[in-house]
Amino acid sequence: MRKLSTAKLAETVKLKREEKKLTQEQLSNLTGINRVMIGRIERENFIPSITQFESLANTLDFEITDMFIEKQETNSFIALRSEALSENEKEGVEKLFKMMLTLRQQILLRSKFKNATPNRA
Amino acid sequence: MNVDLTSPNPALISILRHPDQTITLDANFLIPPDRSKYTKRGFDFPLFQQVWLDPIFQAFPNLAIHETVYDELVMPSEQAYIQTIINDRPSRLIIHKDSRLTPEEQVIRNSIEAKIYPLTRYDPLLNNKDDRGEVKTLAYIAVKGLPYFAAHDSNAIQLIEKAEEWSTGLDNIQAIKMYEIIFYLCKTNTGNKKALRMLYKYQYYLTQHEQKINPEWGQFVKAMETLYL
């Protein structure tokens, strides 16, 4: 599956901007993208919308598709979804998925909140 | 759910001025709320339609949902109502379809989805039902640059409001909450005030905890008027 490489995008935007001797502020004025967002794109911290992407590509002369890379997705849960399972087993597997995904979500959310309030503990 | 009256929401200010903008809805804006855990009284579909659905479709000409949200409508009454709205000519509901995205948009959409889904109960490879509607909707509107997402779900709202802090990539999106639309309908005389008050109370002022953290209807309207009018 093709994915956007935020690293490639960050590197390209910074390199092309500097080649054209543009500050982030000037690039912001040319593209209509907030300067803070340009900074975040260059730090691999923001994925622009398609309109913003096109504006950046046109202003800085690069191809959007050059920012894409091929990435293989794997998921160990998939193997559990076998056609050979009975209806009861399928139901059990779906319940297991639900529990695992809820746990993953809760762990991540907890870490986000923990990082947001470092002095609380 | 918390009612936040600390500062005005720029999205509501914009909608008050230009109600014809595209507002994408989460499923919980189309499904009658069920808080039977806390009270015997509830909203059946005809009441929800009268109090909420008819007024919002009257007030906003460009409401939208993602196709996966349509799949979350399980009751025949909900499906029939939305199908009628879709079938109207011109259609009164925009359906966002991933199949209509260009190959480039599709790649960007997948990348945005990858940032959001770990913070939900959805997994794209499993394509399970939990939170699928909100993840697909948010990824779609983020890639399309559509700014407004209306929801009554604290997790979905947090993904937008904490976009920078949590790196969800949803920085361009603004959340609109149900109480903000209730206020809009009340102030523009689009809905029945008594009925809207009942919906507010049901959604935000029902439990003891909510009565501690949220204002009662009169205080709510007064505070919203101070913020927006």
Side-chain angles (χ1 to χ4, degrees), chain B residues 148-186:
Chain B
Y148 304 123
F149 180 61
H152 185 70
D153 176 315
S154 53
N155 194 49
I157 291 168
Q158 282 197 115
L159 292 174
I160 296 168
E161 293 187 336
K162 294 185 185 295
E164 185 175 355
E165 201 181 325
W166 290 2
S167 296
T168 60
L170 302 175
D171 307 68
N172 287 331
I173 299 174
Q174 297 175 57
I176 299 175
K177 293 143 195 163
M178 185 176 257
Y179 66 81
E180 292 171 331
I181 300 292
I182 291 175
F183 174 73
Y184 179 98
L185 297 175
C186 185

Side-chain angles (χ1 to χ4, degrees), chain A residues 4 40 50 52 81 104 116, chain B residues 111 122 126 143 165 171-172:
Chain A
L4 168 74
R40 287 180 55 198
I50 189 68
Q52 293 171 322
R81 262 191 182 164
R104 181 193 66 188
Chain B
S111 307
Y122 177 68
L126 292 174
V143 73
E165 201 181 325
D171 307 68
N172 287 331

Side-chain angles (χ1 to χ4, degrees), chain A residues 4 37 40 45-46 49-50 52-53 68 75 77-78 81 98 101-102 104-105 108-109 112-113 116, chain B residues 105 108 111 117-123 125-126 128 130 142-143 155 158 164-167 171-172:
Chain A
L4 168 74
M37 292 305 179
R40 287 180 55 198
N45 189 239
F46 176 64
S49 70
I50 189 68
Q52 293 171 322
F53 222 126
F68 299 162
N75 190 317
F77 290 168
I78 293 289
R81 262 191 182 164
K98 199 173 185 142
L101 294 171
T102 304
R104 181 193 66 188
Q105 178 199 29
L108 257 169
L109 286 176
K112 297 278 185 196
F113 278 112
Chain B
E105 287 172 336
I108 300 167
S111 307
Y117 83 79
L119 292 159
T120 71
R121 292 169 300 158
Y122 177 68
D123 191 296
L125 284 177
L126 292 174
N128 55 314
D130 293 318
V143 73
N155 194 49
Q158 282 197 115
E164 185 175 355
E165 201 181 325
W166 290 2
S167 296
D171 307 68
N172 287 331

Side-chain angles (χ1 to χ4, degrees), chain A residues 11-41:
Chain A
E11 194 189 336
T12 306
V13 169
K14 194 165 192 294
L15 193 77
K16 296 268 185 186
R17 178 176 64 76
E18 286 173 352
E19 271 175 16
K20 288 180 182 289
K21 301 195 187 324
L22 293 171
T23 62
Q24 288 183 347
E25 185 77 47
Q26 287 166 327
L27 182 58
S28 166
N29 292 335
L30 289 169
T31 57
I33 303 170
N34 186 303
R35 187 194 58 77
V36 176
M37 292 305 179
I38 297 211
R40 287 180 55 198
I41 290 169

